[in-house]
Amino acid sequence: MNSDWLKSRPVKYLFLSSRLLLGAVFVLAGADKLFHPGEFAGIISNYQILPDHLVNIAAVVLPWLETLVGLLILAGWWLPGALALADSLLIVFLVALGLAAARGIDIDCGCFSLNPTGAPNFVWYLSRDLFFLLLGGAVTAQTLIRSSGNQRVPETT
Amino acid sequence: MKTACGKSFPREALKQGGLIVLIALAISLSVNFIRSGGLPLLPSPSSKAAANGSRSSDEPLVTMEEARALFLAHGAVFIDARPEQDYRSGHIQGALNLPANSFDRALPSLQTRISPDAFLIAYCDGEHCSLSREVAAQLVANGFSHVAVFLNGWTLWRNAGLPVAKTR
């Protein structure tokens, strides 16, 4: 595959801005929860998906994982691993939100803020998560193509 | 630490992803251990209050034994705070459904059936479920003066083999 177009300036900027946006989303999502694991545990429990003994562990670990993944994506380090985790987390969140919506559990999303002001809106939550998932997929695809493009360099010289 | 060239993407993703998860685990568990008010990671009775954190309300709690005694003596009305679908698939016998998400819609019907002086026990499912607390607080705000919360009520009730019912 000819990957010269990937080296054009507009594509580079598009890739950079998509990656920074995705990283910022994860850092913002994790930040508030880092300091309030008890409240986050309550939100996870309200989803009624995880068994009780896993709720606190998820509430403690998930914010750090989100923040770490976000920081790595922002910094451009360990991108294959960070992007794979970001995409996986977004799929898990999408499934959790979809299950809650399907079961009629009208709960706070707990995605970015632990103290939302408005009423829960699952259409908005799901659309937003789907957008982030598309963004994650696009950044992953770009990284994959660039990575494979870099691998071909020795073969052509 | 930059993306390595010459290595397959999936293999790199798997290796780095595993390391990131391990690092996140190490940091989060260490911080939780060090910080005051860290969450208990193993289930214990005291974890109930900790996990509910600032969402706790002033409504008193009833224990399993108290709930059983009140049920047998017909001394309380049980209020199921879970979504209607969960209520339909199984609830404490005689309990009324007042889902936290449709409280305002369901309240008028409840008010016509129950005296404001009745003793109400709100419950949901799971040690950390806050729906019962939310419903209890709203019941008090709407004029019911005797309201208590039965934490993890549905699971405890089922485990005790006490009477349950289903709604079609």
Side-chain angles (χ1 to χ4, degrees), chain B residues 39-56:
Chain B
L39 289 185
L41 298 179
L42 296 174
S44 69
S46 61
S47 69
K48 294 170 187 171
N52 281 311
S54 65
R55 289 173 167 252
S56 63

Side-chain angles (χ1 to χ4, degrees), chain B residues 1 57 127 153:
Chain B
M1 290 174 83
S57 60
E127 286 186 4

Side-chain angles (χ1 to χ4, degrees), chain A residues 38-39 46 52 56 81 106 151, chain B residues 7 16 40 51 54 101 127 130:
Chain A
E39 287 163 353
N46 285 346
D52 280 340
N56 280 5
D106 202 7
Q151 284 179 35
Chain B
K7 293 185 180 176
Q16 293 171 359
S54 65
N101 63 326
E127 286 186 4
S130 59

Side-chain angles (χ1 to χ4, degrees), chain A residues 33-39 41-43 45-46 48 52-53 55-57 59-62 64-65 68-69 72 75-85 102-108 114-116 140 143-144 147 150-151, chain B residues 1-10 12-14 16-21 23-25 27-29 31-32 35 37 39-41 43 47 50-55 82-83 85-86 101 125-131 134 152:
Chain A
K33 301 170 202 162
L34 283 180
F35 300 102
H36 306 100
E39 287 163 353
I43 288 176
S45 179
N46 285 346
Q48 299 181 23
D52 280 340
H53 60 276
V55 168
N56 280 5
I57 294 174
V60 167
V61 177
L62 207 52
W64 283 98
L65 186 60
L68 190 59
V69 163
L72 287 169
W77 293 342
W78 287 2
L79 276 182
L83 288 170
L85 280 174
R103 294 167 66 197
I105 306 175
D106 202 7
I107 52 175
D108 298 333
L114 297 171
N115 298 297
T140 307
T143 308
L144 182 61
S147 168
N150 286 339
Q151 284 179 35
Chain B
M1 290 174 83
K2 284 185 183 297
T3 308
C5 303
K7 293 185 180 176
S8 75
F9 188 94
E12 281 292 283
L14 207 61
Q16 293 171 359
L19 279 172
I20 295 168
V21 170
I23 294 169
L25 270 171
I27 298 174
S28 58
L29 296 181
V31 170
N32 187 63
R35 83 193 311 171
L39 289 185
L41 298 179
S47 69
N52 281 311
S54 65
R55 289 173 167 252
R82 298 173 302 154
Q85 193 179 335
D86 292 340
N101 63 326
D125 191 18
E127 286 186 4
H128 307 285
C129 179
S130 59
L131 299 176
E134 290 170 23
N152 199 17

Side-chain angles (χ1 to χ4, degrees), chain B residues 51-160:
Chain B
N52 281 311
S54 65
R55 289 173 167 252
S56 63
S57 60
D58 294 331
E59 279 62 65
L61 302 179
V62 294
T63 64
M64 177 66 224
E65 290 311 313
E66 289 166 342
R68 184 208 308 258
L70 285 162
F71 174 82
L72 294 174
H74 302 285
V77 177
F78 286 82
I79 304 293
D80 192 320
R82 298 173 302 154
E84 188 182 347
Q85 193 179 335
D86 292 340
Y87 171 82
R88 284 181 177 278
S89 56
H91 55 262
I92 293 176
Q93 195 177 77
L96 302 174
N97 189 209
L98 190 57
N101 63 326
S102 53
F103 183 89
D104 293 337
R105 199 173 63 227
L107 181 66
S109 160
L110 189 83
Q111 284 172 322
T112 59
R113 299 164 71 179
I114 300 175
S115 155
D117 295 326
F119 184 39
L120 307 182
I121 299 177
Y123 72 90
C124 55
D125 191 18
E127 286 186 4
H128 307 285
C129 179
S130 59
L131 299 176
S132 54
R133 290 179 178 276
E134 290 170 23
V135 163
Q138 285 184 290
L139 282 168
V140 171
N142 281 277
F144 290 93
S145 47
H146 303 101
V147 184
V149 172
F150 180 20
L151 275 180
N152 199 17
W154 176 234
T155 296
L156 293 177
W157 194 265
R158 261 186 325 173
N159 291 347

